[in-house]
């Protein structure tokens, strides 16, 4: 009978005479993470599993067994695919072959460098809200939860995407956060708002918070949890939540989910922006994202929609062809701000003052 990953790790650790803390120190992880693995509560990424195998000094057959238990493909099973690539390279002229090999080496170097980078910045687009019903003071109040959530997650820089010619919001910035601004002109979709921050974000992973989705109570730790997932799996992460009614489908992006990675974490199989017809399944996307820098390439390759807007959801579908995307199921309180809610609040304030 095949052993699962958790029991294999525990048996190899005990055979090596290591305590959890000792294995954690060797592998460069926390003792609690080792505990989670041995309880089957976490699934290590491939680089993390490689570090554990090295720390345990496993044989080739033991490494193969551990990789298979973790759901990863052993190296020898990749050999036929790699040899096929080698055959294709051999058919090319020497100059083209050398050029491709050099390009492949650069890609591996960039991939390794990107995987070492931490998420430091968060993009908060508000250009679409500025021309509407909010004064700078009201907009500042609406942004306060998003800023507090960013600070709680340990992010260091906020990039506000503003509308041209509008007064900046009156902000109360938490300690440790730096705020920079970018102007979006014209306002042609969330994807465009993200794309114009490329010069500031650079070649790094980054977060996105849509401040009209306000997370309450313990929900303010959502981004903190998503960043932990990014550190573990090194792929883009979306927050999703259950649909409360059919009307939600036409107002929000929808994510279809595949296999569970662990509790409340799934692989994304597809995304759809505000569907109005056809089969309506999946979970609505909460306005929280952690994105790899390859999203900028995907945005550049994304055609405008029927309203001539560039949608982030469409770009994520393109990114999904190249990379995994994970979904974190958000289960805490959520308040979605809409213009009608703001109008009602202003009406109640006016009646109170009359």
């Amino acid at each position: 009978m095949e052993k699962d990953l958790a029991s294999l790790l525990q048996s190899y650790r005990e055979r090596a005479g290591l305590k959890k803390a000792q294995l954690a120190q060797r592998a460069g992880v926390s003792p609690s993470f080792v505990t989670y693995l041995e309880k089957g509560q976490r699934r290590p990424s491939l680089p993390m599993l490689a570090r554990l195998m090295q720390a345990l000094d496993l044989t080739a057959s033991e490494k193969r067994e551990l990789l298979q238990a973790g759901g990863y493909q052993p190296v020898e099973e990749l050999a036929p695919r790699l040899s096929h690539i080698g055959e294709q390279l051999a058919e090319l002229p020497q100059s083209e072959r050398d050029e491709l090999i050099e390009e492949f080496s650069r890609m591996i170097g960039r991939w390794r460098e990107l995987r070492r980078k931490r998420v430091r910045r968060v993009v908060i687009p508000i250009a679409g809200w500025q021309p509407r019903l909010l004064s700078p003071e009201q907009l500042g109040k609406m942004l306060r939860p998003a800023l507090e959530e960013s600070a709680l997650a340990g992010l260091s820089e906020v990039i506000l995407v503003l509308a041209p010619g509008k007064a900046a919001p009156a902000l109360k910035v938490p300690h440790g956060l730096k705020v920079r601004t970018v102007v979006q002109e014209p306002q042609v979709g969330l994807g465009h708002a993200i794309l114009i921050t490329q010069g500031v974000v650079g070649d790094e992973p980054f977060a996105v918070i849509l401040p009209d989705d306000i997370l309450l109570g313990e929900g303010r730790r959502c981004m903190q949890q998503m960043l932990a997932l990014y550190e573990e799996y090194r792929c883009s992460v979306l927050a999703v939540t259950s649909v409360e009614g059919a009307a939600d489908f036409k107002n929000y992006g929808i994510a279809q989910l595949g296999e569970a990675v662990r509790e409340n974490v799934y692989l994304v199989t597809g995304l759809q922006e505000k569907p109005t017809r056809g089969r309506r399944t999946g979970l609505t996307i909460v306005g929280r994202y952690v994105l790899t820098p390859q999203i900028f390439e995907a945005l550049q390759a994304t055609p405008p929609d029927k309203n001539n807007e560039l949608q982030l959801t469409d770009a994520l579908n393109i990114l999904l062809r190249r990379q995994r995307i994970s979904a974190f199921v958000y289960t805490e309180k959520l308040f979605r701000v809409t213009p009608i809610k703001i109008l009602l609040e202003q009406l109640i304030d006016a009646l109170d003052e009359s």
Side-chain angles (χ1 to χ4, degrees):
M1 180 178 177
E2 293 185 356
K3 291 185 177 180
D4 60 21
L5 179 65
S7 59
L8 274 175
L9 275 175
Q10 183 175 353
S11 64
Y12 289 148
R13 176 181 60 78
E14 291 174 348
R15 186 193 65 185
L18 296 174
K19 295 181 179 179
K20 292 178 183 177
Q22 292 172 315
L23 175 58
Q25 185 176 15
R26 284 190 181 187
V29 298
S30 67
S32 60
F33 184 67
V34 174
T35 300
Y36 288 141
L37 291 178
E38 292 190 359
K39 287 184 176 180
Q41 296 174 343
R42 295 283 181 91
R43 176 177 178 267
S45 63
L46 185 55
M48 178 62 67
L49 196 55
R51 284 158 61 182
L52 289 165
M53 290 190 295
Q54 184 177 5
L56 290 165
D57 193 24
L58 301 182
T59 65
S61 61
E62 289 168 342
K63 290 178 180 178
R64 188 183 310 113
E65 186 179 20
L66 201 60
L67 283 167
Q68 289 174 333
Y72 296 108
Q73 197 171 23
V75 173
E76 59 266 27
E77 293 182 18
L78 294 173
R81 294 167 62 187
L82 294 175
S83 62
H84 177 63
I85 293 173
E87 291 170 3
Q88 290 180 312
L89 285 172
E91 296 173 359
L92 297 173
Q94 183 67 44
S95 59
E96 292 183 17
R97 184 162 63 244
D98 292 344
E99 186 179 340
L100 273 174
I101 292 171
E102 187 177 343
E103 180 64 26
F104 184 60
S105 298
R106 280 198 298 267
M107 288 174 63
I108 291 177
R110 178 174 180 248
W111 180 81
R112 287 175 173 166
E113 183 182 354
L114 286 175
R115 292 182 74 83
R116 289 194 295 266
K117 291 182 177 180
R118 299 187 66 236
V119 180
R120 301 183 298 143
R121 298 184 173 95
V122 57
V123 174
I124 302 182
I126 59 172
W129 281 91
Q130 277 185 295
R132 296 189 190 176
L133 307 165
L134 300 180
S135 67
E137 290 73 24
Q138 289 172 318
L139 194 55
K141 286 181 181 179
M142 192 178 87
L143 285 171
R144 187 175 63 192
L147 295 176
E148 291 174 353
E149 186 181 341
S150 300
L152 186 63
L155 297 166
S156 58
E157 186 173 62
V158 172
I159 303 166
L160 283 181
V161 182
L162 307 176
K166 300 293 179 179
L171 296 177
K172 184 178 180 181
V173 182
H175 177 72
L177 274 184
K178 174 185 175 183
V179 177
R180 300 175 67 172
T181 60
V182 175
V183 175
Q184 183 188 17
E185 186 179 14
Q187 286 103 64
V188 284
L190 175 59
H192 179 258
I194 303 301
L195 182 58
I196 64 170
T197 68
Q198 184 175 9
V200 180
V201 170
D203 200 18
E204 294 185 6
F206 63 102
V208 176
I209 291 180
L210 306 186
D212 48 331
D213 275 357
I214 297 177
L215 311 188
L216 307 171
E218 280 300 306
R220 293 193 182 180
R221 296 189 179 274
C222 178
M223 183 54 68
Q224 187 180 45
Q225 293 170 289
M226 292 173 68
L227 291 178
L229 288 172
Y230 175 81
E231 288 294 321
E232 185 174 349
Y233 298 109
R234 296 290 167 171
C235 67
S236 296
V237 185
L238 316 178
V240 298
T241 193
S242 59
V243 176
E244 297 178 357
D248 277 344
F249 278 111
K250 70 179 189 306
N251 295 322
Y252 304 101
I254 304 296
Q256 284 81 42
L257 307 185
E259 65 175 293
V261 177
R262 66 168 190 257
E263 185 180 6
N264 286 338
V265 182
Y266 296 82
L267 292 179
V268 175
T269 58
L271 299 129
Q272 191 174 6
E273 176 65 20
K274 300 178 182 176
T276 56
R277 58 174 66 119
R279 190 181 177 195
R280 301 176 176 184
T281 61
L283 299 183
T284 58
I285 300 172
V286 181
R288 302 295 184 275
Y289 307 79
V290 179
L291 302 172
T292 62
Q294 286 84 1
I295 190 62
F296 292 121
E297 298 170 19
L299 283 165
Q300 290 166 355
T302 302
D305 66 7
K306 61 181 180 181
N307 297 319
N308 202 35
E309 292 188 344
L310 188 59
Q311 298 298 345
L312 178 60
T313 305
D314 294 337
L316 286 169
N317 267 323
I318 293 176
L319 184 66
L320 190 58
R321 299 171 196 162
R322 296 178 51 191
Q323 299 179 343
R324 291 174 303 152
I325 297 177
S326 295
F328 171 64
V329 180
Y330 175 79
T331 57
E332 301 293 333
K333 294 180 180 179
L334 168 64
F335 183 82
R336 283 181 154 154
V337 180
T338 63
I340 190 65
K341 289 178 181 177
I342 295 169
L343 277 173
L344 287 172
E345 182 182 340
Q346 291 177 345
L347 175 59
I348 291 168
D349 288 342
L351 290 173
D352 286 342
E353 293 171 2
S354 63

